[in-house]
Amino acid sequence: MFKPTVGPIIGHTTTNHARIFIRGEAKNSETTFAGLRYRKFGEEQWTKATFVSLSALRDLCEVFSINDLDSDTEYEYQTGWFSPMNPAHNIESVAELPLQWPREVYRLRTRSTETRQARAYIVGSCRYLRMTAGIASLPQLGDRIFASINQLIEGAEPPVSATLMTGDQIYVDDLNLVAPDREYKDILHKYRTAFSQPNIQKLMSGTSTYMILDDHEIEDNWPANADKSDHELYRNAMAAYEQYQVSHSPAHELKFNGQINREKLEHYWYQFSDGDIEWFVTDSRTRRNLSADDRRILDQEQEQALLEWLINSPARVKFVVTSVMFYPDRKVLGDDAWKAFPEQRLRLLETIRTQRIKNVVFVSGDVHGSLTSRLTHSEDPDFEVHTIVSSPLYNSILLPYAKTSTFILDQPLAVTAAGNYRHELTSEVISEDNFAHVVVEAGQILVNYHDRDGKQLQSIAIKLH
């Protein structure tokens, strides 16, 4: 057996379930299989291996579903792919072959059932990887920050539950003015290259990774910049996105047999929980309505699901991921974010305020700058919402970093008959490559920003109520 060409990537993980993505390889039209086995850390006996057939229609990618795990438990696993000499083999017959598994042993940890236990997460976005003629230019620069994340995770207490990648995991349009990628094979190659760099590969093989797209997975400022010729681009970009980012996410439901239902995918947005902390990861990019009479950044179904979750979820802390900034607004280019959809934003805020929903935090990236900020209401002292922005993991030399002067900070976010929504920065604006280490404790959320070498840049405490 050979080690995966991409992955393994640990995706959605619960107290008793985990999803593991891998990609194999095939020469000519060989029949190719992938296998996975696991055991509790410290035990010698492996479970009976699971095998799947890899299809070129899915770029030789597959996601294993592991069920009936114990909570808050560390497991080891091995995985790989192979093409048997006899093309007549099937999933049942390859299980009888005397296979030599790859030497690499990976680890994963299931979620804890202890609700009040402290939790930690890594948050980042916008990882630029320049590709020229199909070859990555200086890929080690874009991979460097993941070595620092790995180092932090190794000694982190509480353990890091998951990594949240909140958009622009790849740049399909990195050469948009010269030779943009539009073909499916070229976009797939970009994913393979980006996700197989050594440090990000190590991160994703040992820590659950949750992803959501932003515009550069398709095209800058999508769909505002789309034209009639972009239908094929969109179809190709989404097909690749579904293989490499959606496939291991909670957007896919499980079938009765515990396996992932790859035939059914209703939307890209999803929810997941971790003790008494819950996340709602929105798709704020592909469901937009730009018409003047019903402008929406979230479609009606998604908005309704988000509002019902905000009102009805018993979670102590509610994180809402939106790849573009919820607030504060940018002075320039703000129309690509929530600034251009003020009615829908106000509906969310009014629901949070009138329903007395506590500890709501909006998490985003996009702007190539990091910050935290606090939103209050002039007539309602009980209302408070926070935002955590983490961007970029690695910036292009062609793109500027955000600064404090980038944002509108001297006027209310919204003015209503019931009062004004006012916001203020609760951190400095970080204008360099960075990531956020977010720790949820009993009485506060601690947001620690680190530079690409792992040095802590600043730490912000958000009080919980």
Coordinates of all heavy atoms in Angstrom, one line a residue, residues 118-178:
A118 N -13.2 23.2 29.2 CA -12.7 24.3 28.3 C -12.4 23.6 26.9 O -12.0 22.5 26.8 CB -11.5 24.9 28.9
R119 N -12.6 24.4 25.8 CA -12.4 24.0 24.5 C -11.5 25.0 23.8 O -11.5 26.2 24.1 CB -13.7 23.8 23.7 CG -14.2 22.4 23.5 CD -14.9 21.9 24.7 NE -15.6 20.6 24.4 CZ -16.3 20.0 25.3 NH1 -16.5 20.5 26.5 NH2 -16.9 18.8 25.0
A120 N -10.8 24.5 22.8 CA -9.9 25.4 22.0 C -10.0 25.1 20.5 O -10.3 24.0 20.1 CB -8.4 25.2 22.5
Y121 N -9.8 26.1 19.7 CA -9.9 26.0 18.2 C -8.8 26.9 17.6 O -8.3 27.9 18.2 CB -11.3 26.5 17.8 CG -12.4 25.8 18.5 CD1 -12.9 26.4 19.6 CD2 -12.9 24.6 18.0 CE1 -14.0 25.8 20.3 CE2 -14.0 24.0 18.7 CZ -14.5 24.6 19.9 OH -15.5 24.0 20.6
I122 N -8.4 26.5 16.4 CA -7.6 27.3 15.5 C -8.5 27.9 14.4 O -9.3 27.2 13.8 CB -6.4 26.5 14.9 CG1 -5.5 25.8 16.0 CG2 -5.6 27.3 13.9 CD1 -4.8 26.8 16.8
V123 N -8.3 29.2 14.2 CA -9.1 29.8 13.2 C -8.2 30.6 12.2 O -7.3 31.3 12.6 CB -10.1 30.8 13.8 CG1 -10.9 31.5 12.7 CG2 -11.1 30.1 14.7
G124 N -8.4 30.4 10.9 CA -7.6 31.1 9.9 C -8.3 31.1 8.6 O -9.3 30.4 8.3
S125 N -7.8 31.9 7.7 CA -8.4 32.0 6.3 C -7.3 32.6 5.4 O -6.3 33.1 5.8 CB -9.6 32.9 6.3 OG -9.3 34.2 6.6
C126 N -7.6 32.5 4.1 CA -6.8 33.2 3.1 C -5.4 32.7 3.0 O -4.5 33.3 3.4 CB -6.8 34.7 3.2 SG -8.5 35.4 3.4
R127 N -5.2 31.5 2.5 CA -3.9 30.9 2.3 C -3.5 30.9 0.9 O -4.0 30.1 0.1 CB -3.9 29.4 2.9 CG -2.6 28.7 2.9 CD -2.3 28.1 1.5 NE -1.2 27.2 1.6 CZ -1.3 25.8 1.6 NH1 -2.5 25.3 1.7 NH2 -0.2 25.1 1.6
Y128 N -2.7 31.8 0.5 CA -2.4 32.0 -0.9 C -1.3 31.0 -1.3 O -0.3 30.8 -0.6 CB -1.9 33.5 -1.1 CG -1.6 33.8 -2.6 CD1 -2.6 34.0 -3.5 CD2 -0.2 33.9 -3.0 CE1 -2.3 34.3 -4.8 CE2 0.1 34.2 -4.3 CZ -1.0 34.4 -5.2 OH -0.7 34.7 -6.5
L129 N -1.4 30.4 -2.5 CA -0.4 29.5 -3.1 C -0.4 29.8 -4.6 O -1.3 29.5 -5.3 CB -0.7 28.1 -2.8 CG 0.3 27.1 -3.4 CD1 1.6 27.2 -2.6 CD2 -0.3 25.7 -3.3
R130 N 0.7 30.5 -5.0 CA 0.8 30.9 -6.4 C 1.2 29.7 -7.2 O 2.1 28.9 -6.9 CB 1.9 32.0 -6.5 CG 2.3 32.3 -7.9 CD 1.8 33.6 -8.4 NE 2.2 33.9 -9.8 CZ 3.0 34.9 -10.1 NH1 3.5 35.6 -9.1 NH2 3.4 35.1 -11.3
M131 N 0.5 29.5 -8.3 CA 0.8 28.4 -9.2 C 1.1 29.0 -10.6 O 0.4 29.8 -11.1 CB -0.4 27.5 -9.4 CG -0.9 26.8 -8.1 SD 0.0 25.4 -7.6 CE -0.5 24.2 -8.8
T132 N 2.2 28.6 -11.1 CA 2.7 29.1 -12.4 C 2.9 27.9 -13.3 O 3.8 27.0 -13.0 CB 3.9 29.9 -12.3 OG1 3.7 31.0 -11.4 CG2 4.3 30.5 -13.7
A133 N 2.2 27.8 -14.4 CA 2.3 26.7 -15.4 C 2.1 25.3 -14.6 O 2.8 24.4 -14.9 CB 3.6 26.7 -16.1
G134 N 1.2 25.3 -13.7 CA 0.9 24.1 -12.9 C 1.9 23.8 -11.8 O 1.8 22.7 -11.2
I135 N 2.9 24.6 -11.5 CA 3.9 24.4 -10.5 C 3.8 25.4 -9.4 O 3.7 26.6 -9.7 CB 5.3 24.4 -11.1 CG1 5.4 23.3 -12.2 CG2 6.3 24.2 -10.0 CD1 6.7 23.3 -13.0
A136 N 3.8 25.0 -8.2 CA 3.7 25.9 -7.1 C 5.0 26.8 -6.9 O 6.1 26.2 -7.0 CB 3.4 25.2 -5.8
S137 N 4.8 28.1 -6.8 CA 6.0 29.0 -6.7 C 6.3 29.2 -5.2 O 5.4 29.7 -4.4 CB 5.7 30.3 -7.3 OG 5.3 30.2 -8.7
L138 N 7.4 28.7 -4.7 CA 7.9 28.8 -3.3 C 6.8 28.4 -2.3 O 6.3 29.1 -1.5 CB 8.2 30.3 -3.0 CG 9.4 30.9 -3.9 CD1 9.6 32.3 -3.6 CD2 10.7 30.1 -3.6
P139 N 6.3 27.1 -2.5 CA 5.2 26.7 -1.6 C 5.5 26.7 -0.2 O 4.6 26.7 0.7 CB 4.9 25.3 -2.2 CG 6.2 24.8 -2.8 CD 6.8 26.1 -3.4
Q140 N 6.8 26.6 0.2 CA 7.2 26.5 1.6 C 6.8 27.8 2.3 O 6.6 27.8 3.5 CB 8.7 26.2 1.7 CG 9.6 27.3 1.3 CD 9.9 27.3 -0.2 OE1 9.2 26.6 -1.0 NE2 10.9 28.0 -0.6
L141 N 6.7 28.9 1.6 CA 6.3 30.2 2.3 C 4.9 30.1 2.7 O 4.5 30.5 3.9 CB 6.5 31.3 1.3 CG 7.9 31.6 0.8 CD1 8.0 32.8 -0.1 CD2 8.9 31.8 2.0
G142 N 4.0 29.6 1.9 CA 2.6 29.4 2.3 C 2.3 28.3 3.3 O 1.3 28.3 3.9
D143 N 3.3 27.4 3.4 CA 3.1 26.3 4.3 C 3.7 26.5 5.7 O 3.5 25.8 6.6 CB 3.7 25.0 3.7 CG 3.3 23.7 4.3 OD1 2.1 23.6 4.6 OD2 4.2 22.9 4.5
R144 N 4.5 27.6 5.8 CA 5.3 27.8 7.0 C 4.5 28.0 8.2 O 4.8 27.5 9.3 CB 6.2 29.1 6.7 CG 7.0 29.5 7.9 CD 7.9 30.7 7.4 NE 8.6 31.3 8.5 CZ 9.4 32.4 8.4 NH1 9.6 32.9 7.2 NH2 10.0 32.9 9.4
I145 N 3.4 28.7 8.1 CA 2.6 29.1 9.3 C 2.0 27.8 9.9 O 1.7 27.7 11.1 CB 1.5 30.1 8.9 CG1 0.9 30.8 10.2 CG2 0.3 29.5 8.1 CD1 0.1 32.0 10.0
F146 N 1.7 26.8 9.1 CA 1.1 25.5 9.6 C 2.1 24.8 10.5 O 1.7 24.0 11.4 CB 0.6 24.7 8.4 CG -0.5 25.3 7.6 CD1 -0.2 25.8 6.4 CD2 -1.7 25.5 8.2 CE1 -1.2 26.5 5.6 CE2 -2.8 26.1 7.5 CZ -2.5 26.6 6.2
A147 N 3.4 25.0 10.3 CA 4.4 24.4 11.2 C 4.2 25.0 12.6 O 4.3 24.3 13.6 CB 5.8 24.6 10.7
S148 N 4.0 26.3 12.6 CA 3.8 27.0 13.9 C 2.5 26.6 14.6 O 2.4 26.4 15.8 CB 3.8 28.5 13.7 OG 5.0 28.9 13.1
I149 N 1.4 26.3 13.8 CA 0.1 25.9 14.3 C 0.3 24.5 14.9 O -0.1 24.2 16.0 CB -0.9 25.9 13.2 CG1 -1.2 27.3 12.8 CG2 -2.2 25.2 13.7 CD1 -2.2 27.4 11.6
N150 N 1.0 23.6 14.2 CA 1.3 22.2 14.7 C 2.1 22.3 16.0 O 1.8 21.5 16.9 CB 2.1 21.4 13.6 CG 1.3 21.1 12.4 OD1 0.1 20.9 12.5 ND2 2.0 21.0 11.3
Q151 N 3.0 23.2 16.1 CA 3.8 23.3 17.3 C 2.9 23.7 18.5 O 3.1 23.2 19.6 CB 5.0 24.3 17.1 CG 6.0 24.2 18.2 CD 7.2 25.1 17.9 OE1 7.2 25.9 17.0 NE2 8.3 24.8 18.6
L152 N 2.0 24.7 18.2 CA 1.1 25.1 19.3 C 0.2 24.0 19.7 O 0.0 23.8 20.9 CB 0.3 26.3 18.8 CG -0.6 27.0 19.8 CD1 -0.8 28.5 19.5 CD2 -2.0 26.3 19.9
I153 N -0.3 23.2 18.8 CA -1.3 22.2 19.1 C -0.6 21.1 19.9 O -1.3 20.5 20.9 CB -1.9 21.6 17.8 CG1 -2.9 22.6 17.1 CG2 -2.5 20.2 18.0 CD1 -3.4 22.1 15.8
E154 N 0.6 20.8 19.7 CA 1.3 19.7 20.4 C 1.3 19.9 21.9 O 1.2 19.0 22.7 CB 2.7 19.5 19.9 CG 2.8 18.9 18.5 CD 4.2 18.8 18.0 OE1 5.2 19.0 18.8 OE2 4.4 18.5 16.8
G155 N 1.4 21.1 22.3 CA 1.5 21.4 23.8 C 0.3 22.1 24.3 O 0.3 22.6 25.5
A156 N -0.8 22.2 23.5 CA -2.0 23.0 23.9 C -2.8 22.4 25.0 O -3.0 21.2 25.0 CB -2.9 23.3 22.7
E157 N -3.2 23.2 26.0 CA -4.1 22.7 27.1 C -5.0 23.9 27.3 O -4.6 25.0 27.7 CB -3.3 22.4 28.3 CG -4.1 21.8 29.4 CD -4.8 20.5 29.0 OE1 -4.1 19.6 28.4 OE2 -6.0 20.4 29.3
P158 N -6.3 23.7 27.1 CA -7.0 22.4 26.7 C -6.6 22.0 25.3 O -6.1 22.9 24.5 CB -8.5 22.8 26.7 CG -8.5 24.2 26.5 CD -7.3 24.8 27.1
P159 N -6.8 20.7 24.9 CA -6.4 20.3 23.6 C -7.3 21.0 22.5 O -8.4 21.4 22.8 CB -6.8 18.8 23.6 CG -6.9 18.4 25.0 CD -7.3 19.6 25.8
V160 N -6.7 21.2 21.3 CA -7.4 21.9 20.3 C -8.4 20.9 19.7 O -8.0 19.9 19.2 CB -6.4 22.4 19.2 CG1 -7.2 22.9 18.0 CG2 -5.6 23.5 19.8
S161 N -9.7 21.3 19.7 CA -10.7 20.4 19.2 C -10.8 20.4 17.7 O -11.0 19.3 17.0 CB -12.1 20.9 19.7 OG -12.3 20.7 21.0
A162 N -10.5 21.6 17.0 CA -10.7 21.6 15.6 C -10.0 22.9 15.0 O -9.8 23.8 15.7 CB -12.2 21.6 15.2
T163 N -9.8 22.8 13.7 CA -9.3 23.9 13.0 C -10.5 24.4 12.1 O -11.1 23.6 11.4 CB -8.1 23.6 12.1 OG1 -7.0 23.1 12.9 CG2 -7.6 24.8 11.2
L164 N -10.7 25.7 12.1 CA -11.8 26.3 11.2 C -11.1 27.1 10.2 O -10.4 28.1 10.4 CB -12.7 27.2 12.1 CG -13.8 26.6 12.8 CD1 -14.9 26.0 11.9 CD2 -13.4 25.7 13.9
M165 N -11.2 26.6 8.9 CA -10.7 27.4 7.8 C -11.8 28.1 7.1 O -12.7 27.4 6.5 CB -10.0 26.4 6.8 CG -8.7 25.8 7.4 SD -7.8 24.8 6.2 CE -6.4 24.3 7.2
T166 N -11.9 29.4 7.2 CA -13.1 30.1 6.9 C -13.2 30.8 5.6 O -13.9 31.7 5.3 CB -13.4 31.2 8.0 OG1 -12.3 32.2 8.0 CG2 -13.4 30.6 9.4
G167 N -12.4 30.3 4.6 CA -12.5 30.8 3.3 C -11.1 31.0 2.6 O -10.1 31.3 3.2
D168 N -11.2 30.9 1.2 CA -10.0 31.1 0.4 C -8.9 30.1 0.8 O -7.7 30.5 0.9 CB -9.5 32.5 0.5 CG -10.5 33.6 -0.1 OD1 -11.4 33.1 -0.8 OD2 -10.4 34.7 0.3
Q169 N -9.3 28.8 0.9 CA -8.3 27.8 1.2 C -7.4 27.6 -0.1 O -6.3 27.2 0.1 CB -9.0 26.5 1.5 CG -9.4 26.4 3.0 CD -10.5 27.3 3.4 OE1 -10.2 28.3 4.0 NE2 -11.7 27.0 3.0
I170 N -8.0 27.9 -1.3 CA -7.1 27.9 -2.5 C -7.5 29.2 -3.2 O -8.6 29.8 -3.0 CB -7.3 26.7 -3.4 CG1 -8.7 26.7 -4.0 CG2 -7.0 25.4 -2.6 CD1 -8.8 25.8 -5.2
Y171 N -6.7 29.6 -4.2 CA -7.0 30.7 -5.1 C -7.1 30.2 -6.5 O -6.0 30.1 -7.2 CB -5.9 31.8 -4.9 CG -6.0 32.7 -3.7 CD1 -5.9 32.1 -2.4 CD2 -6.3 34.0 -3.8 CE1 -6.0 32.9 -1.3 CE2 -6.4 34.8 -2.7 CZ -6.3 34.3 -1.4 OH -6.4 35.0 -0.3
V172 N -8.3 29.9 -6.9 CA -8.5 29.5 -8.3 C -8.0 30.6 -9.3 O -7.5 30.4 -10.3 CB -9.9 29.1 -8.6 CG1 -10.2 28.9 -10.0 CG2 -10.3 27.8 -7.8
D173 N -8.2 31.8 -8.8 CA -8.0 33.0 -9.7 C -6.7 33.7 -9.4 O -6.6 34.9 -9.6 CB -9.2 34.0 -9.5 CG -9.3 34.5 -8.0 OD1 -8.7 33.8 -7.1 OD2 -10.0 35.5 -7.8
D174 N -5.7 33.0 -9.0 CA -4.4 33.7 -8.6 C -3.8 34.4 -9.8 O -3.0 35.3 -9.6 CB -3.5 32.7 -7.9 CG -3.0 31.6 -8.8 OD1 -3.7 31.3 -9.7 OD2 -1.9 31.0 -8.5
L175 N -4.0 33.9 -11.0 CA -3.5 34.6 -12.2 C -4.6 35.1 -13.0 O -4.7 35.0 -14.2 CB -2.6 33.6 -13.0 CG -1.3 33.2 -12.3 CD1 -0.6 32.1 -13.1 CD2 -0.4 34.3 -12.0
N176 N -5.6 35.8 -12.3 CA -6.8 36.1 -13.0 C -6.6 37.1 -14.2 O -7.4 37.0 -15.2 CB -7.8 36.8 -12.0 CG -9.2 36.4 -12.2 OD1 -9.5 35.4 -12.8 ND2 -10.1 37.3 -11.8
L177 N -5.7 38.0 -14.1 CA -5.5 38.9 -15.1 C -4.7 38.4 -16.3 O -4.7 38.9 -17.4 CB -4.7 40.2 -14.6 CG -5.5 40.9 -13.5 CD1 -4.6 42.1 -13.0 CD2 -6.8 41.5 -14.1
V178 N -4.0 37.2 -16.1 CA -3.1 36.7 -17.1 C -3.7 35.4 -17.7 O -4.0 35.3 -18.8 CB -1.7 36.4 -16.5 CG1 -0.8 35.9 -17.6 CG2 -1.1 37.7 -15.9

